[in-house]
Amino acid sequence: MFMESKVMSAHDEKTVVKIPAGKSREWNFHPELPIAMSPVFDIPPKPRAAFDWLIGTWLKLTPPVSHLLFALITVTFFLPAFSDMQGVSIDWMIQIAAIYFGAVILLGTILHLYLYVFAGQKTRQKFDVRPMEKSSRFTFGDQVWDNVFWTLVSAVVCLSGWSILYFFLASNGWVPTLNGFSASPVWFILFFFVLRFWQSFHFYWVHRLIHIPWLFKNVHHLHHRNVNVGPWSGLAMHPVESFCYFSSILIHFVLPSDPLHVIFHMYSLSLGALFSHAGFDKLFVKDKQAIKAGSFHHQLHHRYFECNYGSEEIPLDRWFGSFHDGTPEATKRIRARKKLIFAPK
Ligand SMILES: [Zn+2]
Ligand SMILES: [Zn+2]
């Protein structure tokens, strides 16, 4: 039985029931419900809440902060010089691909080993208690090896391809670039915030597109075979989906960007997906919370399909009626919506 308290909803001023984080009939663990969405776009505006949300992302050890740290290390030590990337040479292209293969394999392996092989925090804050599957639905009959395979041969190849194209154009001066923090300090900082919203906006529309029944059946279904997810499920995508997903990089073809912005953005898309599909709300090391990991918002999408196409950063799902806030009432509403979408015409 849930402990319930009646509170005023910040969003629609109606009385809603808040359900504290914990266990339920459907979940081994869920965060406080209804799940929190960014207040940045709330009407009427809530400047204090919006400021707290934005700052809260950057002042704790969160996945975006870890992506920024990884990006800093990458740009400082591993990224080829622009002068090397002006020509068509296999050397620097392989170096770019090696950066992404290295980063994804490293993080995917660490998360999977810690959470699923050595069960470092057992089922603490694990959304769905079921283990990874062995089933003929998956390539090699094994969910984990299937997910590793599609991540490496589809997603990381597309991620590398888009990045190689970008760096070739940027180093030849064919797209606008920014030469470090001092060139434009305000834009340099502001662009990191813009990128978080852009990523969410782009993901929503690409994701909506591949939920069109024909594309779902032939493309996106590959990702959705994962009803319960683990870190390697995040990038287990059909090549068409991978190509569209990483086309988020196109913003750098138009707006002046420093390599740090680009690598941060690409890590947010790739490493961020490993975190968001981890299947655990937070990671604990020796009983201490280490980092916010999984996304219950997206876990709901994997279980109920026709909801939560976007992320928490822009409430597009709320605006277009596909938001599942995690509550039992929302489950009923989304199931009715799914029946309508798949009803014979
Ligand atoms: Zn989907
Ligand atoms: Zn997913």
Side-chain angles (χ1 to χ4, degrees), residues 207 210-211 216 220 223-224 241 298 301-302 305 307 309:
H207 198 178
I210 54 181
H211 267 262
F216 184 88
H220 192 39
H223 183 66
H224 269 285
E241 179 174 356
H298 193 66
H301 177 72
H302 275 270
F305 294 74
C307 63
Y309 303 107

Side-chain angles (χ1 to χ4, degrees), residues 203 207 220 223-224 226 229 233-235 237 241 273 276-277 298-299 301-302:
F203 176 57
H207 198 178
H220 192 39
H223 183 66
H224 269 285
N226 300 287
V229 293
S233 311
L235 292 173
M237 300 186 291
E241 179 174 356
S276 67
H277 290 74
H298 193 66
Q299 188 91 21
H301 177 72
H302 275 270

Side-chain angles (χ1 to χ4, degrees), residues 104-123:
V104 168
I105 290 172
L106 186 67
L107 184 67
T109 304
I110 289 173
L111 288 177
H112 180 75
L113 287 180
Y114 180 67
L115 294 170
Y116 290 86
V117 177
F118 301 118
Q121 63 187 68
K122 304 207 163 58
T123 55

Side-chain angles (χ1 to χ4, degrees), residues 56-67 69 289-293:
T57 305
W58 296 98
L59 292 188
K60 288 181 267 179
L61 182 55
T62 56
V65 171
S66 75
H67 306 148
L69 290 175
Q289 184 187 321
I291 191 165
K292 167 93 180 82

